[in-house]
Amino acid sequence: SQQGEEDPQALSIQEGENATMNCSYKTSINNLQWYRQNSGRGLVHLILIRSNEREKHSGRLRVTLDTSKKSSSLLITASRAADTASYFCATDAFKLIFGSGTRLLVRP
Amino acid sequence: NAGVTQTPKFQVLKTGQSMTLQCAQDMNHEYMSWYRQDPGMGLRLIHYSVGAGITDQGEVPNGYNVSRSTTEDFPLRLLSAAPSQTSVYFCASSPTGFNSPLHFGNGTRLTVT
């Protein structure tokens, strides 16, 4: 069974809008990571947030972590067509376990 | 700096055949792992290694073998291919394991007929 589950499964927005994706997990973690996957390619690491951190920023990306609710969110601000990809959260309960992903489509 | 290199990119096998998917990294990473990605299933961990000579099972190890004789290489062997092993396989590495970002290869798309 998967540790992390992303929500929504798919998201379609207009260029310039913000995109928010959520991840829920089941057991205690040391860190949570977000990855992006462009079609036909391997995953690319975006952000790692540790269990003692509540928020982290990287450029247009903002990640929050709520360990009491066992959930995380990824916010992409001012989205671009190039942000079209699948986004995955991964948790490290013991082995790095990935969720099923959110497919983001940014329409020009 | 090539990162993580997977070969081949595509492979078609008949049921019962065996083959080895190759993975090599040039970043001197101790941790390497294999995932399979199926539609709607995300990535599932097959096997991983925390260093040369050390391997362990992931979520879905059945039907696969691995070995780690060097830091650089982590081949995945399919012993007797089955249609259920049709998938995209990704190799990933990181400096220290679960607490550091993974670097992924571009995948091997395997079809078993």
Side-chain angles (χ1 to χ4, degrees):
Chain A
S1 64
Q2 288 167 305
Q3 164 75 323
E5 289 298 333
E6 293 88 347
D7 170 62
Q9 290 187 326
L11 181 61
S12 179
I13 60 173
Q14 205 74 33
E15 201 166 29
E17 293 180 336
N18 295 343
T20 299
M21 288 158 268
N22 303 297
C23 170
S24 59
Y25 56 92
K26 298 172 185 171
T27 63
S28 297
I29 60 172
N30 294 315
N31 69 67
L32 185 143
Q33 302 181 37
W34 284 92
Y35 288 81
R36 183 188 74 230
Q37 183 181 34
N38 291 94
S39 182
R41 304 300 298 269
L43 280 70
V44 174
H45 180 260
L46 297 175
I47 285 186
L48 182 153
I49 186 166
R50 302 199 186 280
S51 60
N52 61 353
E53 297 175 311
R54 292 296 167 258
E55 187 170 311
K56 205 161 183 180
H57 296 253
S58 176
R60 293 184 296 112
L61 307 180
R62 182 175 78 110
V63 168
T64 61
L65 179 64
D66 187 336
T67 53
S68 67
K69 295 182 180 176
K70 292 188 170 57
S71 68
S72 173
S73 67
L74 170 67
L75 168 68
I76 304 174
T77 59
S79 63
R80 306 167 181 167
D83 295 327
T84 294
S86 292
Y87 292 81
F88 295 88
C89 68
T91 53
D92 75 329
F94 177 59
K95 306 158 187 175
L96 200 60
I97 304 295
F98 286 80
S100 302
T102 292
R103 294 186 308 281
L104 173 66
L105 172 64
V106 181
R107 305 186 306 275
Chain B
N1 195 341
V4 178
T5 302
Q6 291 185 237
T7 55
K9 287 187 169 52
F10 301 94
Q11 183 71 48
V12 179
L13 291 178
K14 293 189 188 315
T15 298
Q17 287 184 316
S18 62
M19 80 157 295
T20 299
L21 307 186
Q22 301 292 344
C23 175
Q25 53 93 7
D26 61 0
M27 297 172 283
N28 202 32
H29 286 171
E30 289 297 323
Y31 178 86
M32 296 185 74
S33 55
W34 277 101
Y35 289 87
R36 59 177 288 174
Q37 184 175 33
D38 302 298
M41 297 288 290
L43 279 81
R44 291 184 290 170
L45 181 64
I46 305 172
H47 285 286
Y48 66 99
S49 168
V50 298
I54 306 168
T55 63
D56 205 349
Q57 296 181 348
E59 301 172 89
V60 289
N62 292 341
Y64 307 95
N65 268 359
V66 292
S67 60
R68 184 96 180 269
S69 56
T70 67
T71 299
E72 295 78 19
D73 299 299
F74 190 44
L76 178 72
R77 297 183 192 84
L78 279 69
L79 308 173
S80 177
S84 60
Q85 293 179 306
T86 293
S87 188
V88 182
Y89 291 84
F90 288 99
C91 178
S93 72
S94 74
T96 58
F98 316 125
N99 290 322
S100 55
L102 288 176
H103 299 252
F104 281 82
N106 282 326
T108 294
R109 186 174 295 273
L110 175 68
T111 302
V112 182
T113 61

